[in-house]
Amino acid sequence: MYDIIIIGAGPAGMTAAIYARRAAKSVLVLEATGYGGQIINTPDIENYPVEAHISGFDFATKVYEQAQALGAEFVFEKAVGIEDSGAEKTVITTKNRYTGRAVILATGSENRKLGLENEDALVGRGVSYCATCDGAFYRKKTVAVVGGGNTALEDALYLSDLAETVYLIHRRDQFRGEESTVARLKERENIRFVYNSTVTKLNAEKKLQSIEVTNQDGTVSTIEVNGLFIAVGRIPENQNFASVMDLDEAGYAVAAENCRTKTPGIYVAGDNRVKDVRQLVTATADGAVAATEAIRYIGTLK
Ligand code: NAP
């Protein structure tokens, strides 16, 4: 029996592990893939205090090493369910069952897809959801980025250093992402802005060759591209845990700043929680709050 089981080894989950270990609680962190969560795809973090520039991967590695050094146990298994029996919670993974006194759900989110016919089949053959992972394959080539949030803007900026031409396709004419990044993009000569448009078809033989783009006015055009980077937001990964917490209409876990769900002893931290500001700093803050709440809750158990 662990004191605290944390599901998800992103910034929120790993920060929770640090706080829980510093309070001498036994901690199991379950993670489906690798540590770090979505931040590992960020090439350069400029808005987290202390370091003016650090890559997402380096940041995640430092936090992982810090949590490990404090004694958090990491197991790389996908959690698929949770059972609540009051003072004992059971987390079910694809391989095992683990019991704990408290659970922190820091599951983050997964890529939203465009939903185009051959989108899945073309992943790795022209379609990508991660510019920092795959951008190097498109050196001196033509790529397009879809989306208007910070991820799309930063992806376009990153790719413009590598690719010959970058099309930035957004369904509106106003970006959701930061003005300062938009201003930097506008200074780049190899970025073409395509507003009020959506990607409606992927044309490929073995690899992606071109995309069909439909403007709000009904005009359809074809853009020849070697790569398409899809950055249209993320979907919270809460579906497997809906029995212990309420979800809003978009699937985010309903919890206030204290990170409590409706189930005593079960907390939610990071991007899968309802919140106004989804940033690295708010994710790590959630980790600290959720762990502190879990530690207090354990103290109330007999
Ligand atoms: P996001 O902010 O939710 O933006 C998603 C974008 O995709 C929006 O512009 C949206 O258009 C568009 N979109 C959604 N569905 C679409 C569809 N089916 N077809 C075409 N376009 C579609 O997502 P994000 O950019 O991944 O960012 C997620 C969070 O992380 C945000 O809070 C962001 O600020 C944060 N973030 C921060 C940093 C940083 O601080 N350095 C870096 C990356 C991300 P509409 O605008 O029309 O809705």
Side-chain angles (χ1 to χ4, degrees):
M1 168 94 94
Y2 291 91
D3 288 323
I4 303 179
I5 299 178
I6 298 165
I7 306 178
M14 294 198 292
T15 303
I18 290 169
Y19 272 71
R21 281 304 301 149
R22 292 198 71 253
K25 301 298 172 206
S26 59
V27 172
L28 171 67
V29 184
L30 294 168
E31 168 56 50
T33 53
Y35 67 80
Q38 121 177 240
I39 198 66
I40 61 165
N41 299 325
T42 298
D44 188 20
I45 301 166
E46 293 182 348
N47 56 6
Y48 197 84
V50 176
E51 296 249 25
H53 293 276
I54 184 169
S55 76
F57 180 77
D58 287 347
F59 177 90
T61 302
K62 284 188 175 191
V63 184
Y64 176 66
E65 288 172 355
Q66 190 176 352
Q68 266 201 326
L70 285 166
E73 188 182 332
F74 286 77
V75 170
F76 290 90
E77 290 175 15
K78 184 174 171 58
V80 292
I82 187 165
E83 290 167 4
D84 173 44
S85 326
E88 186 175 310
K89 327 277 184 207
T90 303
V91 176
I92 302 143
T93 73
T94 46
K95 293 184 181 155
N96 289 300
R97 295 167 68 88
Y98 299 94
T99 55
R101 292 183 169 83
V103 175
I104 297 172
L105 295 157
T107 48
S109 54
E110 63 185 340
N111 296 316
R112 176 177 288 123
K113 296 180 179 181
L114 291 177
L116 297 173
E117 198 189 328
N118 45 358
E119 187 174 339
D120 285 342
L122 288 171
V123 171
R125 294 192 290 133
V127 170
S128 172
Y129 298 87
C130 177
T132 49
C133 316
D134 300 327
F137 297 122
Y138 299 93
R139 223 172 270 278
K140 305 258 182 273
K141 296 193 171 168
T142 300
V143 299
V145 175
V146 199
N150 277 321
T151 304
L153 299 182
E154 290 183 9
D155 284 358
L157 203 57
Y158 177 77
L159 290 165
S160 79
D161 284 332
L162 299 165
E164 176 117 342
T165 305
V166 179
Y167 290 90
L168 178 54
I169 302 165
H170 182 33
R171 64 184 178 184
R172 295 186 290 137
D173 60 1
Q174 294 291 314
F175 287 107
R176 187 178 286 273
E178 281 176 28
E179 272 299 318
S180 60
T181 316
V182 176
R184 284 165 75 188
L185 289 169
K186 287 186 173 161
E187 286 168 7
R188 301 284 174 109
E189 287 185 352
N190 64 342
I191 298 181
R192 314 261 180 278
F193 293 85
V194 183
Y195 295 113
N196 300 319
S197 299
T198 51
V199 176
T200 40
K201 198 172 171 211
L202 306 175
N203 300 313
E205 287 193 0
K206 283 183 182 159
K207 287 181 177 174
L208 181 69
Q209 288 172 329
S210 64
I211 54 176
E212 182 187 274
V213 175
T214 303
N215 189 282
Q216 271 171 14
D217 66 10
T219 318
V220 178
S221 52
T222 299
I223 304 176
E224 289 189 11
V225 294
N226 305 103
L228 175 68
F229 289 85
I230 299 169
V232 295
R234 306 189 55 91
I235 299 170
E237 295 208 61
N238 289 327
Q239 305 84 341
N240 291 334
F241 312 107
S243 61
V244 293
M245 57 191 185
D246 291 327
L247 305 183
D248 73 2
E249 64 286 350
Y252 289 96
V254 177
E257 292 300 312
N258 59 22
C259 297
R260 292 182 197 166
T261 67
K262 68 178 183 185
T263 308
I266 298 183
Y267 306 89
V268 60
D271 278 5
N272 54 324
R273 177 172 81 80
V274 167
K275 55 164 67 184
D276 286 338
V277 181
R278 287 201 176 80
Q279 292 282 300
L280 182 54
V281 73
T282 58
T284 56
D286 269 12
V289 172
T292 304
E293 287 281 336
I295 293 160
R296 282 185 192 145
Y297 165 81
I298 291 167
T300 67
L301 298 175
K302 292 204 175 95

Coordinates of all heavy atoms in Angstrom, one line a residue, residues 19 23 25 28 33 50 98 106 109 193 211 228 266 289 299:
Y19 N 6.9 16.9 -3.7 CA 6.3 17.4 -2.4 C 5.9 16.2 -1.5 O 6.1 16.3 -0.3 CB 5.0 18.3 -2.8 CG 5.4 19.7 -3.0 CD1 6.0 20.1 -4.1 CD2 5.0 20.7 -2.0 CE1 6.4 21.5 -4.3 CE2 5.4 22.0 -2.2 CZ 6.0 22.4 -3.3 OH 6.4 23.7 -3.5
A23 N 7.6 15.1 2.3 CA 6.8 14.9 3.5 C 6.9 13.4 3.9 O 6.1 13.0 4.8 CB 5.3 15.3 3.2
K25 N 6.2 10.7 2.5 CA 5.1 9.7 2.1 C 5.7 8.8 1.0 O 6.5 9.2 0.2 CB 3.9 10.5 1.5 CG 3.3 11.5 2.4 CD 2.8 10.8 3.7 CE 2.3 11.8 4.7 NZ 2.4 11.3 6.1
L28 N 4.2 6.3 -5.5 CA 4.3 5.5 -6.8 C 3.8 6.5 -7.9 O 2.7 7.0 -7.8 CB 3.4 4.3 -6.8 CG 3.3 3.5 -8.1 CD1 4.6 3.0 -8.6 CD2 2.2 2.4 -8.1
T33 N 3.8 6.3 -21.0 CA 4.8 6.4 -22.0 C 6.1 6.8 -21.4 O 6.7 6.0 -20.6 CB 4.4 7.4 -23.1 OG1 4.1 8.6 -22.5 CG2 3.2 6.9 -23.9
V50 N 13.6 31.2 -13.0 CA 15.0 30.8 -12.7 C 15.8 30.6 -14.0 O 16.8 31.2 -14.2 CB 15.0 29.5 -11.9 CG1 16.5 29.1 -11.7 CG2 14.4 29.7 -10.5
Y98 N -2.6 -1.6 -8.1 CA -1.8 -0.9 -7.0 C -2.8 -0.3 -6.1 O -3.8 0.3 -6.5 CB -0.9 0.1 -7.6 CG 0.1 -0.4 -8.6 CD1 -0.1 -0.4 -10.0 CD2 1.4 -1.0 -8.2 CE1 0.8 -0.9 -10.9 CE2 2.3 -1.5 -9.1 CZ 2.0 -1.4 -10.4 OH 2.9 -1.9 -11.3
A106 N -2.8 13.2 -12.6 CA -2.1 14.3 -13.4 C -1.9 13.7 -14.8 O -0.8 13.6 -15.3 CB -0.8 14.6 -12.7
S109 N -3.1 15.6 -21.2 CA -4.0 15.6 -22.4 C -3.3 14.9 -23.6 O -2.1 14.8 -23.6 CB -4.4 17.0 -22.7 OG -3.3 17.8 -22.9
F193 N 0.9 33.2 -44.1 CA -0.2 33.1 -43.3 C -1.5 32.8 -44.1 O -1.7 33.5 -45.1 CB -0.5 34.4 -42.5 CG 0.6 34.7 -41.5 CD1 1.8 35.4 -41.9 CD2 0.5 34.3 -40.2 CE1 2.8 35.6 -41.0 CE2 1.5 34.5 -39.3 CZ 2.6 35.2 -39.6
I211 N -2.0 19.3 -49.6 CA -3.2 19.4 -48.7 C -4.2 20.3 -49.4 O -3.9 21.2 -50.1 CB -2.9 20.0 -47.3 CG1 -2.1 21.4 -47.4 CG2 -2.1 19.0 -46.5 CD1 -1.8 22.0 -46.1
L228 N 2.9 18.1 -42.7 CA 1.8 18.9 -42.1 C 1.9 18.7 -40.6 O 1.9 17.5 -40.1 CB 0.5 18.4 -42.6 CG -0.7 19.0 -41.9 CD1 -0.9 20.5 -42.3 CD2 -2.0 18.2 -42.3
I266 N -9.0 11.8 -3.6 CA -8.6 11.7 -5.0 C -8.5 13.2 -5.5 O -9.5 14.0 -5.4 CB -9.6 10.9 -5.9 CG1 -9.5 9.4 -5.4 CG2 -9.2 11.0 -7.4 CD1 -10.4 8.5 -6.2
V289 N -0.1 21.8 -4.8 CA -1.3 21.9 -4.1 C -1.9 20.5 -3.9 O -2.4 20.1 -2.8 CB -2.3 22.8 -4.8 CG1 -3.7 22.8 -4.2 CG2 -1.8 24.2 -4.9
G299 N -3.4 12.3 6.7 CA -3.3 12.6 8.2 C -4.6 12.4 8.9 O -4.6 12.2 10.1

